[in-house]
Amino acid sequence: MYTSSDSNSDGASLSSEDAHTRVFVDQLSKWMSSHQGDFAFACGGSVPLTAQKKTSSQKYHPSGQASASDTETSETSSKPISLRWDPEDPPTPASKCKLAFPLEPSTSDNLENLVATMSPATFGRHGKDVYDETYRRALKLDTTQFSTDFCPYELGIIDAVAQILLPTRVKSNSLIAVKAELYKLNIYSGPSGHFRAHVDTPRSNQQFGSLVVCLPAKFEGGILTVSHRGNNMKYDWAKLVSSEPAIHWAAFYSDCKHEVHEVTSGHRVTLTYNLYAVRGNGRLGDVDQCEALDYASLPLYKHMRDLSANESFMRSGGTLGFYTHHVYPHSSNASFLPDALKGLDMAVWNVFQALGYEVYLRPVVHLDDDDNYDDGWDYDDDDDNDNDDDDKVGFDVCGPSLRIKHLEAQTGDGGTIHDVVREWKYEYEYGMRKTEIDMSDAYWLNSGGHEELQFTYLAYGNQAETAAAYSACAILIRVPDYDERKSFLDKL
């Protein structure tokens, strides 16, 4: 197993092919790192609340800003939005418990009634709901306490989110759709309404993102900033609310940090939706016609096509590894991977597949000194061909599938970590089937990512106890030899 930063520390001379490969892998790793901001992690737009049929949809821009050239127009507008809620005091007449957006003079005073009805908003910390105004100062109503006729599906918002944040992957036989589930009504009031930078708590293994819809009520401040790996997107809806009445929205991946900056005056009223990847009834559009799915237009495609055509790049083929950029519940049966891959991860999967490479999504567990492994264990399961060269400190093991396994193998009392790994590596479906990837010659394009529980086993020391191993989610790429690559490229 090699990384782009490995050197030949033992002084042995590298083969010419291996030396060239390491140079190319290092260049590709640096290129991907410098272009990670090119891939969308958030999107947003506006839908006017007027009879004029015009809408602007903000595209992702690496700088985190939108310009006039980054907008598109289409024939979409929204009718006025109504909002009703349960009164805190039952005798309160229903006429005092409703609002229409844009706010009408007859109901605008009811906004203060709504504020008085709402409860302080908490946030999740270590699996518990916590109330701390220094971290979050906001109000909330649960969905059982209010109703609205606003529907993000009718206005094309969910279609836009699906195409940008959850596009159908190349050669996918699965039909994945986006389900938006209303979660909360929130109000951030000035002065001092805010929510410090945080990551949302996923409500299920199928949740991939969040949608925030800002209703047209006047306020100042309250900028929403969404961040991922040093790139920022800012949504300053207060400036937009003062112009033509409109609904403003932003959607982003659930592993992205986001922050609501201080609201200095007025009331920032938002509807929050959880976004889930679910089995759909059909594709969300023509894959060949949807710009969001045109992976041949991505810089990564051109870079990899040129690299594939280079005879000096992995002349005999081999394996590349890429730890996923985003966080997934990858060891869950309900994660919908690889269809629910995000941003750069989806681009890597599709680009390599479009160029004729075999791609696999696999859990990778790193074993080291603490695992007390035996030198000479043959991980190819060939009892007649022991490998005495496997004496390096630490190695990666690739599992057969993403799902969590509870194993009967054990360490101590006659067993070793190898018994555990051996059982994990193979699936018992119509006999013993090996994993497709040999990790011993893998070249990694980046360092390890987020880890989750992968398997449990019995460990014997002074007493028997349940031990656990954690895996990172990786895209493993089988690189064809040069002749096979050239034959494939000649047909494109």
Side-chain angles (χ1 to χ4, degrees):
M1 186 275 292
Y2 311 98
T3 66
S4 61
S5 60
D6 280 342
S7 61
N8 190 31
S9 59
D10 60 4
S13 61
L14 294 172
S15 69
S16 175
E17 180 176 343
D18 189 48
H20 280 106
T21 295
R22 293 195 185 197
V23 171
F24 284 122
V25 167
D26 185 58
Q27 292 174 348
L28 178 58
S29 175
K30 291 178 179 178
W31 188 93
M32 293 179 71
S33 178
S34 66
H35 285 76
Q36 64 183 17
D38 295 347
F39 299 91
F41 57 86
C43 60
S46 301
V47 180
L49 283 168
T50 65
Q52 181 182 358
K53 293 191 174 183
K54 182 181 71 173
T55 181
S56 63
S57 180
Q58 179 180 314
K59 291 183 178 180
Y60 171 78
H61 194 278
S63 66
Q65 303 296 329
S67 65
S69 62
D70 290 327
T71 60
E72 297 177 342
T73 59
S74 60
E75 299 297 314
T76 304
S77 62
S78 173
K79 63 182 180 181
I81 304 301
S82 67
L83 178 68
R84 299 176 182 271
W85 62 91
D86 296 333
E88 187 176 28
D89 184 9
T92 303
S95 60
K96 299 294 184 182
C97 299
K98 66 178 182 179
L99 283 171
F101 296 90
L103 292 177
E104 300 174 351
S106 60
T107 61
S108 58
D109 291 342
N110 290 350
L111 181 55
E112 297 300 330
N113 295 338
L114 174 60
V115 170
T117 300
M118 300 178 74
S119 304
T122 58
F123 58 93
R125 178 186 290 168
H126 305 306
K128 298 180 179 179
D129 285 333
V130 177
Y131 176 69
D132 181 354
E133 284 197 353
T134 64
Y135 197 89
R136 184 185 193 188
R137 190 171 188 272
L139 300 171
K140 60 97 174 178
L141 278 183
D142 296 326
T143 53
T144 57
Q145 300 172 290
F146 74 94
S147 63
T148 179
D149 59 0
F150 175 76
C151 179
Y153 291 90
E154 293 178 353
L155 302 178
I157 293 174
I158 302 305
D159 286 342
V161 171
Q163 291 185 11
I164 297 173
L165 298 186
L166 197 69
T168 302
R169 64 184 177 89
V170 172
K171 299 181 181 179
S172 173
N173 294 321
S174 302
L175 303 176
I176 301 298
V178 175
K179 174 186 175 183
E181 185 177 89
L182 184 58
Y183 177 58
K184 299 283 185 186
L185 169 68
N186 290 116
I187 292 183
Y188 292 82
S189 299
S192 72
H194 71 283
F195 198 171
R196 288 165 55 184
H198 63 286
V199 176
D200 285 342
T201 303
R203 300 296 161 180
S204 85
N205 292 326
Q206 296 170 270
Q207 184 176 352
F208 73 92
S210 298
L211 167 67
V212 180
V213 176
C214 184
L215 301 179
K218 289 185 178 181
F219 65 94
E220 294 181 354
I223 295 173
L224 171 65
T225 298
V226 184
S227 306
H228 183 66
R229 292 182 178 255
N231 296 291
N232 299 313
M233 287 286 288
K234 294 183 181 292
Y235 300 92
D236 190 355
W237 294 324
K239 292 181 179 179
L240 300 176
V241 167
S242 61
S243 57
E244 178 183 340
I247 298 164
H248 306 290
W249 62 271
F252 45 88
Y253 292 132
S254 52
D255 62 324
C256 293
K257 282 189 176 181
H258 51 286
E259 176 179 7
V260 178
H261 297 268
E262 181 181 358
V263 176
T264 56
S265 67
H267 300 292
R268 180 183 183 272
V269 184
T270 59
L271 298 169
T272 302
Y273 295 78
N274 293 327
L275 299 176
Y276 301 94
V278 297
R279 299 298 179 195
N281 294 323
R283 294 185 184 273
L284 294 171
D286 188 331
V287 176
D288 295 327
Q289 298 298 320
C290 179
E291 182 181 354
L293 301 174
D294 184 12
Y295 290 97
S297 67
L298 295 176
L300 177 60
Y301 181 90
K302 183 181 185 304
H303 188 86
M304 278 311 307
R305 180 166 180 166
D306 292 343
L307 197 56
S308 293
N310 192 320
E311 187 173 359
S312 297
F313 171 65
M314 302 184 80
R315 176 69 178 84
S316 303
T319 301
L320 292 175
F322 177 80
Y323 289 106
T324 55
H325 221 235
H326 287 272
V327 175
Y328 307 94
H330 66 263
S331 57
S332 166
N333 291 334
S335 61
F336 281 173
L337 293 174
D339 296 284
L341 287 172
K342 309 169 185 175
L344 177 58
D345 303 332
M346 176 61 82
V348 168
W349 180 278
N350 280 280
V351 164
F352 279 98
Q353 194 172 58
L355 290 170
Y357 293 59
E358 294 179 16
V359 290
Y360 307 90
L361 199 64
R362 293 290 185 265
V364 176
V365 172
H366 182 77
L367 303 178
D368 53 30
D369 284 347
D370 296 333
D371 296 306
N372 192 29
Y373 65 91
D374 296 329
D375 291 346
W377 179 265
D378 181 8
Y379 281 93
D380 288 329
D381 195 38
D382 185 353
D383 294 336
D384 298 325
N385 190 18
D386 288 343
N387 179 7
D388 293 327
D389 295 328
D390 192 14
D391 57 355
K392 58 187 176 181
V393 179
F395 55 91
D396 291 327
V397 180
C398 171
S401 64
L402 294 174
R403 65 179 183 269
I404 292 176
K405 297 199 74 173
H406 303 284
L407 307 176
E408 297 180 0
Q410 61 191 39
T411 63
D413 195 25
T416 70
I417 186 64
H418 303 293
D419 297 305
V420 178
V421 171
R422 184 182 185 185
E423 182 175 333
W424 177 60
K425 282 185 64 179
Y426 299 105
E427 289 182 320
Y428 292 88
E429 296 176 359
Y430 307 103
M432 192 174 289
R433 180 165 64 89
K434 287 186 177 182
T435 180
E436 297 92 335
I437 296 293
D438 177 9
M439 299 297 294
S440 63
D441 63 348
Y443 291 86
W444 286 97
L445 298 172
N446 57 353
S447 56
H450 168 78
E451 293 188 335
E452 289 201 347
L453 175 67
Q454 186 61 54
F455 60 79
T456 60
Y457 58 96
L458 284 177
Y460 283 89
N462 293 330
Q463 59 184 9
E465 59 182 15
T466 301
Y470 292 80
S471 70
C473 187
I475 298 173
L476 300 176
I477 304 148
R478 188 190 296 279
V479 181
D481 62 37
Y482 172 70
D483 292 335
E484 185 178 345
R485 297 200 306 267
K486 185 176 184 303
S487 176
F488 185 89
L489 292 175
D490 289 342
K491 298 175 182 177
L492 291 180

